[in-house]
Amino acid sequence: MLVVMQAHATAEDVRAVCEKIESLGYRAHPLPGAERTAIGITGNKGEIEPGALEEMPGVRELIRVTKPYKLVSRDIKEDNTVISFPGTDATFGGPGLAIVAGPCAIESREQAFAVAERVHRSGAQFFRGGAYKPRTSPYSFQGLEEEALRIMAEIREQFGLKIVTEAIDNESLELVDEYADVIQIGARNMQNFSLLKHAGRARKPVLLKRGMSATLEEFLMAAEYVMSEGNYQVILCERGVRTFADHTRNTLDLSLIPAVQRLSHLPILVDPSHGTGKRNKVTPLSRASVAVGADGLLIEVHCDPDKALSDGMQSLYPDQFDELMTQVRQIAAVVGRTVPAIGEHAEVGATSKPDTGLRAAR
Ligand code: PEP
Ligand code: MN
């Protein structure tokens, strides 16, 4: 059930409806939109008796949500969710594309700083690097853990880059929540429901990658898990799925982008690095991702990919990343988006904590 408030409803009206919902034993999720606030109700086993809510001041109507996902749906919020960050003009879902770049894993302070310096110079606003690596083999490099988080915190200090890194379990999630700006949940954990619920109780935005064989509905339901716990700052990421095709590591499913945008207000990125697994395919598919309407890109970059401890084959050299940025900037202009140029995303003065803002619906 969804309570749609009138455009002129006051904050007090919204609060009173939320309190009423909670007093009935349900959970209220107020999501402000450009035109009006809608309040999602979860925690109900069956039908909710509308009587008590329908007559409250500021309530326009009650709508039954028939889809299995509710809070991620455009039914509750028509306009796109924009996630912004204190002290920068970087957003996920705003007119400017979010560019997340960095090595697959943090291998050393020197390696991380060398990549950060280059991707910052090319215009990325977000630095990524694995501290906890979910590897196929237990004998492969598993990540530097908290030491990597400390290195990335230093990178934020030095370059003003916001930090995106993966949590692989509830324990690492607490540390990632403490050190990073965005908590990544990887493809292998997209249906780790305990981890999703923990991420829903974290303070930072969550970047949720699509599972390797997840349908659109399963992907949206995973995002619903996070939102149902009260964290409404979720960024989706297409990173390729398993198919019979073997010319690439995964098959990048770009049709997911418009499909998600039709059903959900959440921002969606594309990761052509894991999506193809091949360095020579990353730039062409980055261009395609921007053309299809993605809200940003996640790109692996390494200064010496041949020596990378993970995913060297798909990591771009810094010069290639620079060229990618030049190319996607041109495509972005055609679809009415922007990609920051060098230095453009420098500090622009502090705002309050990360907030969910608005821009026109697609
Ligand atoms: C990664 O981003 O480094 C990663 C492990 O991605 P995925 O979960 O998509 O495989
Ligand atoms: Mn990787």
Side-chain angles (χ1 to χ4, degrees), residues 233-279:
Q233 304 197 99
V234 180
I235 305 137
L236 303 171
C237 182
E238 159 62 24
R239 48 77 73 206
V241 287
R242 284 271 169 91
T243 68
F244 56 82
D246 58 3
H247 64 287
T248 49
R249 179 178 176 187
N250 292 295
T251 298
L252 193 64
D253 178 13
L254 291 183
S255 70
L256 187 87
I257 312 310
V260 161
Q261 289 171 339
R262 203 179 153 95
L263 296 173
S264 176
H265 53 87
L266 295 175
I268 177 148
L269 308 188
V270 176
D271 168 0
S273 301
H274 294 87
T276 66
K278 303 228 165 123
R279 187 177 306 133

Side-chain angles (χ1 to χ4, degrees), residues 3-7 36 54 56 58-63 78:
V3 183
V4 180
M5 301 299 287
Q6 289 162 346
R36 39 72 175 169
E54 223 158 20
M56 291 186 73
V59 172
R60 191 175 85 190
E61 59 178 329
L62 269 66
I63 299 175
E78 279 176 12

Side-chain angles (χ1 to χ4, degrees), residues 104 128 133 249 274 300 310-311 314:
C104 179
R128 62 141 293 143
K133 293 305 304 173
R249 179 178 176 187
H274 294 87
E300 287 188 341
S310 59
D311 288 350
Q314 66 195 36

Side-chain angles (χ1 to χ4, degrees), residues 20-302:
K20 181 75 193 173
I21 293 166
E22 306 263 340
S23 78
L24 295 169
Y26 311 132
R27 182 147 185 189
H29 303 268
L31 293 183
E35 301 286 319
R36 39 72 175 169
T37 293
I39 305 167
I41 305 176
T42 60
N44 52 305
K45 299 275 180 285
E47 287 281 300
I48 294 171
E49 176 53 51
L53 296 166
E54 223 158 20
E55 300 305 323
M56 291 186 73
V59 172
R60 191 175 85 190
E61 59 178 329
L62 269 66
I63 299 175
R64 221 165 64 83
V65 182
T66 48
K67 299 193 183 82
Y69 44 87
K70 303 181 189 309
L71 304 174
V72 307
S73 169
R74 274 210 193 273
D75 292 346
I76 191 164
K77 188 166 178 287
E78 279 176 12
D79 38 292
N80 299 328
T81 285
V82 179
I83 298 169
S84 42
F85 295 81
T88 78
D89 54 4
T91 65
F92 288 99
L97 298 182
I99 308 293
V100 183
C104 179
I106 302 298
E107 298 165 6
S108 69
R109 193 173 180 283
E110 293 64 36
Q111 170 253 13
F113 266 74
V115 180
E117 196 267 321
R118 290 298 309 268
V119 300
H120 175 253
R121 220 195 301 157
S122 301
Q125 315 101 317
F126 298 89
F127 181 76
R128 62 141 293 143
Y132 302 89
K133 293 305 304 173
R135 302 303 298 278
T136 304
S137 164
Y139 310 117
S140 301
F141 176 60
Q142 305 282 309
L144 296 182
E145 305 185 340
E146 193 170 0
E147 188 191 339
L149 297 176
R150 277 195 289 267
I151 293 169
M152 286 188 279
E154 270 189 69
I155 284 174
R156 175 176 44 224
E157 283 302 304
Q158 170 110 9
F159 300 104
L161 289 160
K162 297 289 168 194
I163 304 302
V164 180
T165 193
E166 178 170 354
I168 54 169
D169 51 26
N170 294 338
E171 194 186 333
S172 57
L173 188 127
E174 286 187 12
L175 282 169
V176 169
D177 193 20
E178 195 180 311
Y179 282 96
D181 300 289
V182 176
I183 303 164
Q184 179 172 315
I185 305 283
R188 289 155 192 81
N189 275 313
M190 192 208 79
Q191 285 192 317
N192 179 338
F193 300 119
S194 161
L195 186 61
L196 294 174
K197 284 198 235 175
H198 269 79
R201 296 194 280 271
R203 296 158 299 154
K204 303 284 170 62
V206 173
L207 192 161
L208 178 64
K209 299 188 87 175
R210 182 185 184 184
M212 319 199 180
S213 61
T215 63
L216 170 57
E217 187 166 303
E218 287 164 345
F219 192 20
L220 293 177
M221 290 305 286
E224 185 80 16
Y225 258 94
V226 179
M227 293 185 78
S228 71
E229 292 293 325
N231 188 346
Y232 307 127
Q233 304 197 99
V234 180
I235 305 137
L236 303 171
C237 182
E238 159 62 24
R239 48 77 73 206
V241 287
R242 284 271 169 91
T243 68
F244 56 82
D246 58 3
H247 64 287
T248 49
R249 179 178 176 187
N250 292 295
T251 298
L252 193 64
D253 178 13
L254 291 183
S255 70
L256 187 87
I257 312 310
V260 161
Q261 289 171 339
R262 203 179 153 95
L263 296 173
S264 176
H265 53 87
L266 295 175
I268 177 148
L269 308 188
V270 176
D271 168 0
S273 301
H274 294 87
T276 66
K278 303 228 165 123
R279 187 177 306 133
N280 65 20
K281 308 230 168 1
V282 172
T283 300
L285 282 156
S286 297
R287 293 196 302 263
S289 303
V290 173
V292 85
D295 292 304
L297 297 169
L298 189 152
I299 308 287
E300 287 188 341
V301 181
H302 199 288

